[in-house]
Amino acid sequence: MDVTSFGIDHDRLLRGIYVSRKDTVENGVLTTFDIRMKEPNREMVLDTSVMHTIEHLMATFFRGHKQWADKTIYIGPMGCRTGMYAIFKGDLSSEDVLDIITKCYEYMENFEEEIPAAKSHMCGNYLDHNLGITKIECSKFLEEVLYQMKKENMEYPIQKN
Ligand SMILES: [Zn+2]
């Protein structure tokens, strides 16, 4: 299935976990997930400092995880500031990653330590972080979306012509 050719209807897109694309590379398939934390154009977007902190914490969580470290290719923020991208090895579905992404948001919601790699020699804008609001945003996403996932939070709405 060529998911990249579908026209996603952002006017009807909800918060959730969606398969953004699948790419076949030499040794298998890579799945890119759209972790959508805000409804596009209908909700306030995430602050850049919050997206930055989520990027550092999410990368730390996956790169340090026993089962997922080897599968994790990339974690990064969306330019529109409504969510994050995560690329994993394997031909995966939203159901396959729901549990681990929920655990990642619980890790971020409960994070109390110093933000990893938020030092001038390790980060391009190390002062631009906000752990307090990050924890609130993660808690909201868990309660309102991840703990009550429905089909429409895992399947893209397609544009009607
Ligand atoms: Zn950084």
Side-chain angles (χ1 to χ4, degrees):
M1 185 173 70
D2 181 10
V3 294
T4 60
S5 68
F6 289 171
I8 303 152
D9 187 353
H10 284 77
D11 288 340
R12 291 188 294 131
L13 180 60
L14 302 176
R15 294 174 292 173
I17 300 171
Y18 302 91
V19 173
S20 173
R21 53 181 293 144
K22 290 188 183 184
D23 291 281
T24 303
V25 292
E26 267 178 59
N27 300 314
V29 175
L30 301 180
T31 306
T32 302
F33 287 97
D34 165 337
I35 305 170
R36 190 70 63 154
M37 294 177 67
K38 299 291 175 185
E39 292 188 5
N41 308 304
R42 280 160 282 146
E43 267 192 281
M44 285 290 288
V45 296
L46 294 159
D47 193 82
T48 50
S49 62
V50 171
M51 301 216 71
H52 191 192
T53 300
I54 291 174
E55 181 193 34
H56 278 230
L57 296 184
M58 202 178 265
T60 300
F61 176 86
F62 278 103
R63 302 220 180 273
H65 194 278
K66 272 201 271 316
Q67 282 87 48
W68 285 84
D70 289 346
K71 296 190 186 104
T72 304
I73 303 295
Y74 171 79
I75 304 286
M78 289 180 186
C80 60
R81 289 159 54 197
T82 61
M84 302 291 292
Y85 284 118
I87 306 178
F88 300 116
K89 275 186 208 166
D91 188 349
L92 302 169
S93 68
S94 296
E95 286 90 345
D96 293 330
V97 297
L98 175 58
D99 183 62
I100 193 66
I101 288 176
T102 300
K103 286 192 170 71
C104 178
Y105 275 84
E106 287 169 345
Y107 164 83
M108 297 193 286
E109 177 191 37
N110 294 310
F111 199 84
E112 294 288 355
E113 296 158 46
E114 199 176 309
I115 298 165
K119 291 273 194 293
S120 65
H121 64 289
M122 291 187 268
C123 172
N125 192 1
Y126 80 105
L127 294 175
D128 191 29
H129 281 282
N130 190 331
L131 182 59
I133 305 294
T134 293
K135 288 158 64 84
I136 293 169
E137 291 285 10
C138 290
S139 179
K140 187 174 158 68
F141 189 54
L142 281 163
E143 297 296 333
E144 296 177 6
V145 185
L146 296 180
Y147 290 155
Q148 43 184 321
M149 289 284 277
K150 297 176 186 71
K151 193 167 154 277
E152 56 265 36
N153 305 107
M154 293 186 278
E155 283 179 21
Y156 275 140
I158 303 309
Q159 280 174 12
K160 294 169 192 153
N161 293 317

